[in-house]
Amino acid sequence: MSLTAWVLLACLVAFATKLVGYLLPHRLLESERFGRVSRAMTIGLLAALVASNAFASGSHIELDSRVLALVVAGVALWARAPFLLVVVLGALAAALGRAAGLP
């Protein structure tokens, strides 16, 4: 299948998902179980996005300065640092890692 067909298919799936959200009964959306599942799904999707951006390089796994930046940012988040400081510390860790010779 060509790239255009994949993009069109992804658009169709996204539109159908959005449409299903509008068609769900209101009582289902207000249930506690639905809220827990949607919150857990959001965390899982964000974790997968972060992991794929931090560890994947093309089609293989690579440990480089991005991992160092992720660890430093995670520690800063754990210490409840402000978000801007977390971003700056992560960027600084990546820069220092690259300056030290990490890929």
Side-chain angles (χ1 to χ4, degrees):
M1 195 181 314
S2 70
L3 180 63
T4 304
W6 281 111
V7 169
L8 289 175
L9 181 65
C11 291
L12 185 65
V13 169
F15 180 75
T17 304
K18 205 165 184 100
L19 185 63
V20 166
Y22 284 116
L23 297 176
L24 286 175
H26 202 63
R27 63 177 169 73
L28 181 65
L29 295 175
E30 292 178 349
S31 71
E32 178 61 31
R33 184 176 184 190
F34 192 84
R36 277 186 308 191
V37 169
S38 64
R39 284 189 295 269
M41 193 178 300
T42 303
I43 292 170
L45 287 173
L46 285 174
L49 181 65
V50 168
S52 66
N53 280 325
F55 299 113
S57 180
S59 62
H60 60 277
I61 294 175
E62 186 171 316
L63 298 177
D64 56 10
S65 58
R66 294 177 296 174
V67 176
L68 179 64
L70 183 63
V71 169
V72 169
V75 170
L77 279 175
W78 178 72
R80 297 188 181 268
F83 182 71
L84 185 59
L85 182 61
V86 170
V87 171
V88 169
L89 288 175
L92 186 63
L96 289 175
R98 289 192 176 131
L102 287 175

